[in-house]
Amino acid sequence: DRFYRALYGALLHPGVPRGSSAAAGQLFSLTFKALKDDPQPSRAAAVVKRLLQVAAHAPAPFACGALMLVSEFLKLKPSHWDAIRQPREGEDADDVERFVDVDEDDDDIGGGDGFDTKTKQANTSKAPTEEDDEDEGDDKEDELGNQGKGGRAKEDKDDDGSKKAAAVQSAARRYDMQKRDPLFARADTSCWWELAVLERNVHPSVGAMARSLLFGTSVEYSGDPLADMTLASFLDKWLQK
């Protein structure tokens, strides 16, 4: 557990994506071996998601190397393809506000219609010529009004409490990238949306590799991306043309 926690934290070091090719190759080799031998699928998913997050802000050689690592990892653990093919983020993944129609019968509870009906009954029952009956009718109106306000306030508090409880439960099921331990990051509840960001990378090779994974196919590349995708290699190829 300490090893995976240290590896998970080391991926966030700012010098990781911009180091030398040899250092990046050693990091990829160590990460792949760790993912291959990890018995916890949720922890492996958290490490992969962090690697993709780092690759989204990394130069092209590191990003291509990370995508090839993910492709090889999916060949060994094909169950993780579900994180790409099936979007998921808890039960409320879409974050779409939904509206529910309120029954007409509910309006009578502490609402304006019930209050008006009771008020009319109180007004019709009083005698217009007796002052005592008028005072008694006014007292009933005040009492009914206070009851209506109290009922509405109680319902509002209950609704707020239920909404807060639902929000807490939803947050407890979501992926948390700030967890220090990848085992408790709940990465198995989140899709690998980082591939959609990498697909829009300005480098065509990065976009092509990410697109292959999004389409459910493995990355096919026989060279070394850490050496072939560098600026010096690109200039050499351009001069040869």
Side-chain angles (χ1 to χ4, degrees):
D1 292 341
R2 290 183 178 180
F3 168 76
Y4 286 100
R5 187 161 54 245
L7 177 62
Y8 191 65
L11 291 175
L12 279 183
H13 192 279
V16 166
R18 289 171 174 78
S20 61
S21 299
Q26 293 177 359
L27 177 64
F28 287 150
S29 177
L30 178 64
T31 304
F32 181 74
K33 292 179 180 178
L35 292 174
K36 181 178 64 175
D37 298 332
D38 191 359
Q40 298 290 341
S42 61
R43 182 167 56 192
V47 175
V48 171
K49 282 183 67 67
R50 173 152 296 183
L51 182 63
L52 292 175
Q53 291 166 7
V54 175
H57 303 278
F62 187 92
C64 290
L67 290 171
M68 290 186 64
L69 186 152
V70 173
S71 177
E72 295 298 321
F73 168 71
L74 290 172
K75 291 180 181 179
L76 295 177
K77 303 290 182 68
S79 60
H80 288 274
W81 277 109
D82 293 339
I84 301 176
R85 297 168 180 166
Q86 300 178 4
R88 49 187 176 169
E89 189 76 37
E91 296 180 358
D92 300 328
D94 49 4
D95 291 334
V96 176
E97 186 177 3
R98 295 180 173 83
F99 299 93
V100 180
D101 295 335
V102 180
D103 296 336
E104 295 180 357
D105 296 338
D106 295 339
D107 296 338
D108 296 338
I109 303 176
D113 295 341
F115 172 72
D116 294 339
T117 304
K118 294 179 180 179
T119 304
K120 291 178 180 179
Q121 293 176 357
N123 292 333
T124 54
S125 63
K126 68 179 180 178
T129 58
E130 297 181 2
E131 295 181 355
D132 294 339
D133 292 340
E134 291 180 356
D135 295 337
E136 183 178 356
D138 294 338
D139 294 338
K140 289 183 178 180
E141 291 180 3
D142 295 337
E143 183 178 357
L144 291 173
N146 293 332
Q147 290 179 356
K149 292 179 180 179
R152 286 193 295 270
K154 185 177 180 181
E155 289 179 0
D156 293 340
K157 289 182 179 180
D158 293 341
D159 293 340
D160 293 341
S162 61
K163 290 179 180 179
K164 290 180 180 179
V168 171
Q169 293 178 358
S170 177
R173 294 190 300 267
R174 289 180 179 273
Y175 165 65
D176 188 0
M177 63 183 302
Q178 297 181 351
K179 291 289 185 181
R180 295 179 58 187
D181 195 334
L183 188 60
F184 302 103
R186 297 183 295 274
D188 55 338
T189 63
S190 174
C191 62
W192 293 357
W193 53 264
E194 296 85 358
L195 290 173
V197 179
L198 289 167
E199 185 189 10
R200 296 174 176 83
N201 194 286
V202 295
H203 198 282
S205 298
V206 178
M209 290 183 180
R211 196 175 301 110
S212 298
L213 293 176
L214 287 174
F215 288 161
T217 59
S218 301
V219 175
E220 300 294 338
Y221 186 77
S222 58
D224 182 8
L226 297 177
D228 299 341
M229 303 297 175
T230 59
L231 180 60
S233 178
F234 171 75
L235 293 176
D236 290 340
K237 293 179 180 178
W238 184 74
L239 290 175
Q240 291 175 2
K241 293 181 179 180

PDB file of all heavy atoms in Angstrom, residues 1-27:
ATOM      1  N   ASP A   1       0.830  -1.209   0.000  1.00  0.00           N
ATOM      2  CA  ASP A   1       0.000   0.000   0.000  1.00  0.00           C
ATOM      3  C   ASP A   1       0.867   1.263   0.000  1.00  0.00           C
ATOM      4  O   ASP A   1       0.536   2.254  -0.654  1.00  0.00           O
ATOM      5  CB  ASP A   1      -0.927  -0.006   1.217  1.00  0.00           C
ATOM      6  CG  ASP A   1      -1.979  -1.113   1.110  1.00  0.00           C
ATOM      7  OD1 ASP A   1      -2.205  -1.602  -0.009  1.00  0.00           O
ATOM      8  OD2 ASP A   1      -2.556  -1.473   2.142  1.00  0.00           O
ATOM      9  N   ARG A   2       1.947   1.248   0.754  1.00  0.00           N
ATOM     10  CA  ARG A   2       2.826   2.424   0.775  1.00  0.00           C
ATOM     11  C   ARG A   2       3.466   2.657  -0.587  1.00  0.00           C
ATOM     12  O   ARG A   2       3.660   3.801  -1.009  1.00  0.00           O
ATOM     13  CB  ARG A   2       3.910   2.237   1.836  1.00  0.00           C
ATOM     14  CG  ARG A   2       3.394   2.307   3.276  1.00  0.00           C
ATOM     15  CD  ARG A   2       4.540   2.191   4.250  1.00  0.00           C
ATOM     16  NE  ARG A   2       4.091   2.306   5.627  1.00  0.00           N
ATOM     17  CZ  ARG A   2       4.894   2.233   6.680  1.00  0.00           C
ATOM     18  NH1 ARG A   2       6.202   2.041   6.510  1.00  0.00           N
ATOM     19  NH2 ARG A   2       4.404   2.342   7.899  1.00  0.00           N
ATOM     20  N   PHE A   3       3.817   1.577  -1.255  1.00  0.00           N
ATOM     21  CA  PHE A   3       4.438   1.722  -2.578  1.00  0.00           C
ATOM     22  C   PHE A   3       3.477   2.380  -3.557  1.00  0.00           C
ATOM     23  O   PHE A   3       3.849   3.318  -4.280  1.00  0.00           O
ATOM     24  CB  PHE A   3       4.866   0.350  -3.100  1.00  0.00           C
ATOM     25  CG  PHE A   3       5.239   0.352  -4.542  1.00  0.00           C
ATOM     26  CD1 PHE A   3       6.454   0.878  -4.964  1.00  0.00           C
ATOM     27  CD2 PHE A   3       4.380  -0.164  -5.510  1.00  0.00           C
ATOM     28  CE1 PHE A   3       6.801   0.896  -6.310  1.00  0.00           C
ATOM     29  CE2 PHE A   3       4.721  -0.147  -6.848  1.00  0.00           C
ATOM     30  CZ  PHE A   3       5.940   0.379  -7.251  1.00  0.00           C
ATOM     31  N   TYR A   4       2.255   1.897  -3.596  1.00  0.00           N
ATOM     32  CA  TYR A   4       1.279   2.477  -4.529  1.00  0.00           C
ATOM     33  C   TYR A   4       0.938   3.915  -4.158  1.00  0.00           C
ATOM     34  O   TYR A   4       0.711   4.750  -5.038  1.00  0.00           O
ATOM     35  CB  TYR A   4       0.014   1.621  -4.553  1.00  0.00           C
ATOM     36  CG  TYR A   4       0.183   0.330  -5.305  1.00  0.00           C
ATOM     37  CD1 TYR A   4       0.410  -0.865  -4.630  1.00  0.00           C
ATOM     38  CD2 TYR A   4       0.146   0.300  -6.693  1.00  0.00           C
ATOM     39  CE1 TYR A   4       0.576  -2.057  -5.324  1.00  0.00           C
ATOM     40  CE2 TYR A   4       0.311  -0.884  -7.388  1.00  0.00           C
ATOM     41  CZ  TYR A   4       0.529  -2.057  -6.698  1.00  0.00           C
ATOM     42  OH  TYR A   4       0.698  -3.240  -7.390  1.00  0.00           O
ATOM     43  N   ARG A   5       0.905   4.206  -2.863  1.00  0.00           N
ATOM     44  CA  ARG A   5       0.648   5.584  -2.442  1.00  0.00           C
ATOM     45  C   ARG A   5       1.795   6.496  -2.853  1.00  0.00           C
ATOM     46  O   ARG A   5       1.579   7.636  -3.282  1.00  0.00           O
ATOM     47  CB  ARG A   5       0.427   5.618  -0.928  1.00  0.00           C
ATOM     48  CG  ARG A   5      -0.020   6.977  -0.427  1.00  0.00           C
ATOM     49  CD  ARG A   5      -0.662   6.893   0.947  1.00  0.00           C
ATOM     50  NE  ARG A   5       0.192   6.224   1.921  1.00  0.00           N
ATOM     51  CZ  ARG A   5      -0.092   5.066   2.505  1.00  0.00           C
ATOM     52  NH1 ARG A   5      -1.198   4.433   2.183  1.00  0.00           N
ATOM     53  NH2 ARG A   5       0.713   4.529   3.386  1.00  0.00           N
ATOM     54  N   ALA A   6       3.034   6.002  -2.734  1.00  0.00           N
ATOM     55  CA  ALA A   6       4.191   6.803  -3.146  1.00  0.00           C
ATOM     56  C   ALA A   6       4.219   6.994  -4.657  1.00  0.00           C
ATOM     57  O   ALA A   6       4.514   8.095  -5.158  1.00  0.00           O
ATOM     58  CB  ALA A   6       5.476   6.128  -2.669  1.00  0.00           C
ATOM     59  N   LEU A   7       3.911   5.941  -5.406  1.00  0.00           N
ATOM     60  CA  LEU A   7       3.865   6.065  -6.864  1.00  0.00           C
ATOM     61  C   LEU A   7       2.762   7.016  -7.299  1.00  0.00           C
ATOM     62  O   LEU A   7       2.955   7.836  -8.217  1.00  0.00           O
ATOM     63  CB  LEU A   7       3.640   4.683  -7.483  1.00  0.00           C
ATOM     64  CG  LEU A   7       3.491   4.633  -9.008  1.00  0.00           C
ATOM     65  CD1 LEU A   7       4.756   5.117  -9.696  1.00  0.00           C
ATOM     66  CD2 LEU A   7       3.139   3.220  -9.465  1.00  0.00           C
ATOM     67  N   TYR A   8       1.626   6.947  -6.648  1.00  0.00           N
ATOM     68  CA  TYR A   8       0.493   7.819  -6.969  1.00  0.00           C
ATOM     69  C   TYR A   8       0.851   9.285  -6.733  1.00  0.00           C
ATOM     70  O   TYR A   8       0.473  10.163  -7.504  1.00  0.00           O
ATOM     71  CB  TYR A   8      -0.696   7.398  -6.117  1.00  0.00           C
ATOM     72  CG  TYR A   8      -2.011   8.018  -6.498  1.00  0.00           C
ATOM     73  CD1 TYR A   8      -2.607   7.756  -7.723  1.00  0.00           C
ATOM     74  CD2 TYR A   8      -2.680   8.860  -5.612  1.00  0.00           C
ATOM     75  CE1 TYR A   8      -3.820   8.309  -8.066  1.00  0.00           C
ATOM     76  CE2 TYR A   8      -3.898   9.418  -5.948  1.00  0.00           C
ATOM     77  CZ  TYR A   8      -4.458   9.137  -7.175  1.00  0.00           C
ATOM     78  OH  TYR A   8      -5.667   9.696  -7.509  1.00  0.00           O
ATOM     79  N   GLY A   9       1.575   9.549  -5.656  1.00  0.00           N
ATOM     80  CA  GLY A   9       1.990  10.920  -5.373  1.00  0.00           C
ATOM     81  C   GLY A   9       3.128  11.396  -6.259  1.00  0.00           C
ATOM     82  O   GLY A   9       3.210  12.581  -6.609  1.00  0.00           O
ATOM     83  N   ALA A  10       4.030  10.469  -6.659  1.00  0.00           N
ATOM     84  CA  ALA A  10       5.164  10.855  -7.496  1.00  0.00           C
ATOM     85  C   ALA A  10       4.731  11.289  -8.886  1.00  0.00           C
ATOM     86  O   ALA A  10       5.414  12.091  -9.529  1.00  0.00           O
ATOM     87  CB  ALA A  10       6.154   9.702  -7.592  1.00  0.00           C
ATOM     88  N   LEU A  11       3.613  10.777  -9.359  1.00  0.00           N
ATOM     89  CA  LEU A  11       3.139  11.163 -10.692  1.00  0.00           C
ATOM     90  C   LEU A  11       2.752  12.636 -10.768  1.00  0.00           C
ATOM     91  O   LEU A  11       2.685  13.197 -11.870  1.00  0.00           O
ATOM     92  CB  LEU A  11       1.944  10.293 -11.088  1.00  0.00           C
ATOM     93  CG  LEU A  11       2.252   8.816 -11.372  1.00  0.00           C
ATOM     94  CD1 LEU A  11       0.964   8.040 -11.623  1.00  0.00           C
ATOM     95  CD2 LEU A  11       3.195   8.672 -12.561  1.00  0.00           C
ATOM     96  N   LEU A  12       2.488  13.245  -9.623  1.00  0.00           N
ATOM     97  CA  LEU A  12       2.121  14.661  -9.607  1.00  0.00           C
ATOM     98  C   LEU A  12       3.323  15.593  -9.560  1.00  0.00           C
ATOM     99  O   LEU A  12       3.146  16.811  -9.592  1.00  0.00           O
ATOM    100  CB  LEU A  12       1.217  14.954  -8.398  1.00  0.00           C
ATOM    101  CG  LEU A  12      -0.268  14.602  -8.532  1.00  0.00           C
ATOM    102  CD1 LEU A  12      -1.015  15.022  -7.277  1.00  0.00           C
ATOM    103  CD2 LEU A  12      -0.882  15.242  -9.756  1.00  0.00           C
ATOM    104  N   HIS A  13       4.520  15.045  -9.488  1.00  0.00           N
ATOM    105  CA  HIS A  13       5.701  15.908  -9.435  1.00  0.00           C
ATOM    106  C   HIS A  13       5.807  16.701 -10.740  1.00  0.00           C
ATOM    107  O   HIS A  13       5.664  16.148 -11.840  1.00  0.00           O
ATOM    108  CB  HIS A  13       6.953  15.066  -9.233  1.00  0.00           C
ATOM    109  CG  HIS A  13       8.160  15.873  -8.877  1.00  0.00           C
ATOM    110  ND1 HIS A  13       8.928  16.536  -9.816  1.00  0.00           N
ATOM    111  CD2 HIS A  13       8.719  16.150  -7.668  1.00  0.00           C
ATOM    112  CE1 HIS A  13       9.913  17.173  -9.223  1.00  0.00           C
ATOM    113  NE2 HIS A  13       9.808  16.960  -7.911  1.00  0.00           N
ATOM    114  N   PRO A  14       6.041  18.014 -10.658  1.00  0.00           N
ATOM    115  CA  PRO A  14       6.060  18.824 -11.889  1.00  0.00           C
ATOM    116  C   PRO A  14       7.159  18.449 -12.863  1.00  0.00           C
ATOM    117  O   PRO A  14       7.056  18.751 -14.060  1.00  0.00           O
ATOM    118  CB  PRO A  14       6.233  20.262 -11.363  1.00  0.00           C
ATOM    119  CG  PRO A  14       6.795  20.105  -9.984  1.00  0.00           C
ATOM    120  CD  PRO A  14       6.241  18.836  -9.449  1.00  0.00           C
ATOM    121  N   GLY A  15       8.229  17.791 -12.391  1.00  0.00           N
ATOM    122  CA  GLY A  15       9.312  17.430 -13.292  1.00  0.00           C
ATOM    123  C   GLY A  15       9.124  16.114 -14.010  1.00  0.00           C
ATOM    124  O   GLY A  15       9.933  15.767 -14.880  1.00  0.00           O
ATOM    125  N   VAL A  16       8.046  15.385 -13.671  1.00  0.00           N
ATOM    126  CA  VAL A  16       7.845  14.071 -14.279  1.00  0.00           C
ATOM    127  C   VAL A  16       7.594  14.157 -15.787  1.00  0.00           C
ATOM    128  O   VAL A  16       8.267  13.480 -16.570  1.00  0.00           O
ATOM    129  CB  VAL A  16       6.694  13.336 -13.560  1.00  0.00           C
ATOM    130  CG1 VAL A  16       6.230  12.129 -14.360  1.00  0.00           C
ATOM    131  CG2 VAL A  16       7.134  12.901 -12.173  1.00  0.00           C
ATOM    132  N   PRO A  17       6.687  14.961 -16.276  1.00  0.00           N
ATOM    133  CA  PRO A  17       6.423  14.955 -17.726  1.00  0.00           C
ATOM    134  C   PRO A  17       7.487  15.651 -18.560  1.00  0.00           C
ATOM    135  O   PRO A  17       7.508  15.479 -19.783  1.00  0.00           O
ATOM    136  CB  PRO A  17       5.078  15.682 -17.836  1.00  0.00           C
ATOM    137  CG  PRO A  17       5.039  16.576 -16.662  1.00  0.00           C
ATOM    138  CD  PRO A  17       5.770  15.873 -15.567  1.00  0.00           C
ATOM    139  N   ARG A  18       8.365  16.403 -17.933  1.00  0.00           N
ATOM    140  CA  ARG A  18       9.366  17.161 -18.686  1.00  0.00           C
ATOM    141  C   ARG A  18      10.791  16.723 -18.365  1.00  0.00           C
ATOM    142  O   ARG A  18      11.732  17.488 -18.564  1.00  0.00           O
ATOM    143  CB  ARG A  18       9.194  18.660 -18.410  1.00  0.00           C
ATOM    144  CG  ARG A  18       7.941  19.221 -19.047  1.00  0.00           C
ATOM    145  CD  ARG A  18       7.646  20.638 -18.610  1.00  0.00           C
ATOM    146  NE  ARG A  18       6.524  21.181 -19.350  1.00  0.00           N
ATOM    147  CZ  ARG A  18       5.248  20.892 -19.093  1.00  0.00           C
ATOM    148  NH1 ARG A  18       4.948  20.072 -18.102  1.00  0.00           N
ATOM    149  NH2 ARG A  18       4.284  21.411 -19.816  1.00  0.00           N
ATOM    150  N   GLY A  19      10.923  15.516 -17.867  1.00  0.00           N
ATOM    151  CA  GLY A  19      12.251  14.976 -17.612  1.00  0.00           C
ATOM    152  C   GLY A  19      12.865  14.390 -18.866  1.00  0.00           C
ATOM    153  O   GLY A  19      12.351  14.524 -19.985  1.00  0.00           O
ATOM    154  N   SER A  20      13.975  13.707 -18.675  1.00  0.00           N
ATOM    155  CA  SER A  20      14.662  13.092 -19.804  1.00  0.00           C
ATOM    156  C   SER A  20      13.898  11.866 -20.290  1.00  0.00           C
ATOM    157  O   SER A  20      13.019  11.323 -19.603  1.00  0.00           O
ATOM    158  CB  SER A  20      16.079  12.701 -19.397  1.00  0.00           C
ATOM    159  OG  SER A  20      16.039  11.745 -18.339  1.00  0.00           O
ATOM    160  N   SER A  21      14.246  11.418 -21.468  1.00  0.00           N
ATOM    161  CA  SER A  21      13.593  10.244 -22.033  1.00  0.00           C
ATOM    162  C   SER A  21      13.899   8.995 -21.217  1.00  0.00           C
ATOM    163  O   SER A  21      13.039   8.116 -21.047  1.00  0.00           O
ATOM    164  CB  SER A  21      14.032  10.042 -23.482  1.00  0.00           C
ATOM    165  OG  SER A  21      13.670  11.153 -24.281  1.00  0.00           O
ATOM    166  N   ALA A  22      15.122   8.920 -20.691  1.00  0.00           N
ATOM    167  CA  ALA A  22      15.494   7.760 -19.889  1.00  0.00           C
ATOM    168  C   ALA A  22      14.682   7.712 -18.599  1.00  0.00           C
ATOM    169  O   ALA A  22      14.202   6.646 -18.183  1.00  0.00           O
ATOM    170  CB  ALA A  22      16.989   7.803 -19.578  1.00  0.00           C
ATOM    171  N   ALA A  23      14.501   8.871 -17.958  1.00  0.00           N
ATOM    172  CA  ALA A  23      13.718   8.913 -16.723  1.00  0.00           C
ATOM    173  C   ALA A  23      12.258   8.584 -16.985  1.00  0.00           C
ATOM    174  O   ALA A  23      11.617   7.862 -16.202  1.00  0.00           O
ATOM    175  CB  ALA A  23      13.844  10.296 -16.080  1.00  0.00           C
ATOM    176  N   ALA A  24      11.721   9.089 -18.083  1.00  0.00           N
ATOM    177  CA  ALA A  24      10.334   8.778 -18.419  1.00  0.00           C
ATOM    178  C   ALA A  24      10.159   7.291 -18.728  1.00  0.00           C
ATOM    179  O   ALA A  24       9.157   6.679 -18.341  1.00  0.00           O
ATOM    180  CB  ALA A  24       9.885   9.612 -19.612  1.00  0.00           C
ATOM    181  N   GLY A  25      11.139   6.701 -19.407  1.00  0.00           N
ATOM    182  CA  GLY A  25      11.059   5.278 -19.695  1.00  0.00           C
ATOM    183  C   GLY A  25      11.086   4.436 -18.431  1.00  0.00           C
ATOM    184  O   GLY A  25      10.337   3.447 -18.315  1.00  0.00           O
ATOM    185  N   GLN A  26      11.911   4.812 -17.465  1.00  0.00           N
ATOM    186  CA  GLN A  26      11.948   4.084 -16.194  1.00  0.00           C
ATOM    187  C   GLN A  26      10.634   4.234 -15.435  1.00  0.00           C
ATOM    188  O   GLN A  26      10.145   3.269 -14.832  1.00  0.00           O
ATOM    189  CB  GLN A  26      13.117   4.589 -15.349  1.00  0.00           C
ATOM    190  CG  GLN A  26      14.482   4.264 -15.931  1.00  0.00           C
ATOM    191  CD  GLN A  26      15.614   4.843 -15.107  1.00  0.00           C
ATOM    192  OE1 GLN A  26      15.390   5.518 -14.096  1.00  0.00           O
ATOM    193  NE2 GLN A  26      16.848   4.590 -15.530  1.00  0.00           N
ATOM    194  N   LEU A  27      10.069   5.423 -15.470  1.00  0.00           N
ATOM    195  CA  LEU A  27       8.786   5.642 -14.791  1.00  0.00           C
ATOM    196  C   LEU A  27       7.674   4.814 -15.426  1.00  0.00           C
ATOM    197  O   LEU A  27       6.867   4.190 -14.718  1.00  0.00           O
ATOM    198  CB  LEU A  27       8.421   7.122 -14.827  1.00  0.00           C
ATOM    199  CG  LEU A  27       7.065   7.494 -14.210  1.00  0.00           C
ATOM    200  CD1 LEU A  27       7.050   7.195 -12.718  1.00  0.00           C
ATOM    201  CD2 LEU A  27       6.749   8.967 -14.456  1.00  0.00           C
TER     202      LEU A  27
END
